[in-house]
């Protein structure tokens, strides 16, 4: 849904578009999002989100200056986050796990995020939880050029860091509030649309 929707028809399928302007909201069971404007290109099944886009999937929040989403077989295949890419998720203790970089590519499998590749200026903050009682063990902070994060059932499973990674581990008793977020952090869950925000009931006149 949006304030303005403009379908562009053309005999050439490569030129067919759907444009959405102002107050764009999208809702699927596996994905929600907001943006200032959106463009859907039917020829390559790609959606482009512009100006302050935010996407949520499986508890992960994704932001960037612009976002491009590739649809394959009627489901999300890949999401490309371009410039100031930032992914945030919350763990069971409500800690914010964070990844940021110049750009990212998120790959999906079975409607769940499967892998995230960070290219350039990679930074991450992740909280370690005890497998025994789920208590906090501390926080890992890594800075490097490129990062690959693999997910299992929508949750982070493991990392690979490339090009001179610098890491530190901060135990719980040494953690300060200012240590727990990366520059540019912004949790926007209050903007996350519900189904009723997008799909309006039809009222017969």
């Amino acid at each position: 849904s949006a304030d303005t929707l403009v379908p562009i028809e053309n005999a050439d399928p490569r030129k067919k578009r759907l444009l959405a302007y102002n107050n764009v909201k999208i809702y699927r069971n596996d994905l929600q999002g907001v943006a200032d404007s959106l463009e859907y290109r039917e020829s390559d099944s790609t959606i482009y989100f512009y100006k302050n886009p935010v996407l949520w999937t499986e508890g992960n929040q994704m932001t960037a200056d612009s976002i491009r989403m590739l649809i394959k077989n009627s489901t999300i295949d890949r999401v490309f986050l371009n410039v100031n890419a930032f992914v945030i998720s919350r763990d069971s203790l409500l800690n914010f796990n964070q990844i940021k970089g110049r750009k990212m590519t998120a790959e999906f499998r079975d409607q769940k995020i499967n892998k995230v590749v960070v290219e350039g200026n990679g930074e991450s903050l992740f909280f370690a939880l005890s497998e025994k009682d789920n208590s906090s063990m501390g926080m890992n902070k890594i800075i490097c050029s490129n990062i690959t994060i693999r997910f299992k059932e929508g949750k982070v499973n493991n990392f690979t860091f490339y090009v001179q990674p610098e890491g530190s581990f901060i135990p719980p008793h040494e953690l300060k509030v200012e240590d727990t977020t990366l520059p540019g952090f912004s949790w926007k869950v209050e903007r996350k649309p519900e189904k009723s925000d997008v799909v309006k009931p039809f009222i017969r006149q």
Side-chain angles (χ1 to χ4, degrees):
S1 70
D3 292 349
T4 303
L5 296 173
V6 182
I8 299 176
E9 297 295 332
N10 196 290
D12 185 348
R14 295 172 298 177
K15 297 181 180 179
K16 294 179 71 173
R17 302 278 194 276
L18 174 64
L19 307 179
Y21 296 102
N22 299 327
N23 199 30
V24 173
K25 298 178 182 178
I26 64 170
Y27 180 89
R28 290 171 48 122
N29 289 335
D30 58 342
L31 177 80
Q32 299 81 44
V34 296
D36 175 75
S37 55
L38 174 154
E39 176 187 2
Y40 173 62
R41 299 182 184 178
E42 186 176 316
S43 60
D44 56 6
S45 298
T46 301
I47 304 173
Y48 296 80
F49 300 86
Y50 302 107
K51 197 173 181 181
N52 301 319
V54 190
L55 299 180
W56 294 269
T57 177
E58 294 294 324
N60 298 289
Q61 174 186 289
M62 297 182 284
T63 58
D65 286 7
S66 65
I67 298 176
R68 177 166 56 97
M69 179 190 300
L70 177 63
I71 305 296
K72 189 175 182 180
N73 298 324
S74 300
T75 191
I76 307 164
D77 184 64
R78 295 188 183 192
V79 176
F80 303 90
L81 291 81
N82 300 308
V83 186
N84 296 317
F86 211 126
V87 175
I88 307 171
S89 64
R90 295 191 94 170
D91 64 20
S92 56
L93 297 182
L94 303 183
N95 298 309
F96 291 104
N97 294 318
Q98 302 154 60
I99 313 162
K100 66 176 295 188
R102 188 170 61 249
K103 63 179 182 177
M104 298 187 202
T105 302
E107 300 179 7
F108 286 74
R109 181 181 296 171
D110 299 325
Q111 298 184 342
K112 295 181 184 293
I113 191 167
N114 182 62
K115 183 171 72 172
V116 172
V117 177
V118 182
E119 299 177 72
N121 304 328
E123 297 182 61
S124 72
L125 290 183
F126 273 84
F127 291 81
L129 304 182
S130 169
E131 294 184 4
K132 183 178 180 181
D133 59 7
N134 208 43
S135 61
S136 177
M137 299 173 62
M139 187 191 75
N140 287 294
K141 181 176 183 179
I142 304 290
I143 299 175
C144 64
S145 180
N146 300 335
I147 309 172
T148 297
I149 307 99
R150 296 171 183 84
F151 292 72
K152 187 175 183 179
E153 295 300 318
K155 303 296 183 182
V156 172
N157 187 39
N158 60 65
F159 297 83
T160 304
F161 302 96
Y162 304 93
V163 189
Q164 297 180 333
E166 298 178 9
S168 60
F169 180 80
I170 306 174
H173 64 278
E174 294 182 11
L175 266 178
K176 300 176 182 177
V177 173
E178 57 266 28
D179 296 328
T180 60
T181 56
L182 293 172
F185 173 90
S186 180
W187 185 239
K188 304 175 184 289
V189 70
E190 75 282 352
R191 297 181 61 197
K192 183 178 178 181
E194 301 292 337
K195 185 176 183 179
S196 58
D197 296 322
V198 179
V199 182
K200 303 298 183 182
F202 174 74
I203 300 176
R204 187 180 298 276
Q205 300 295 324

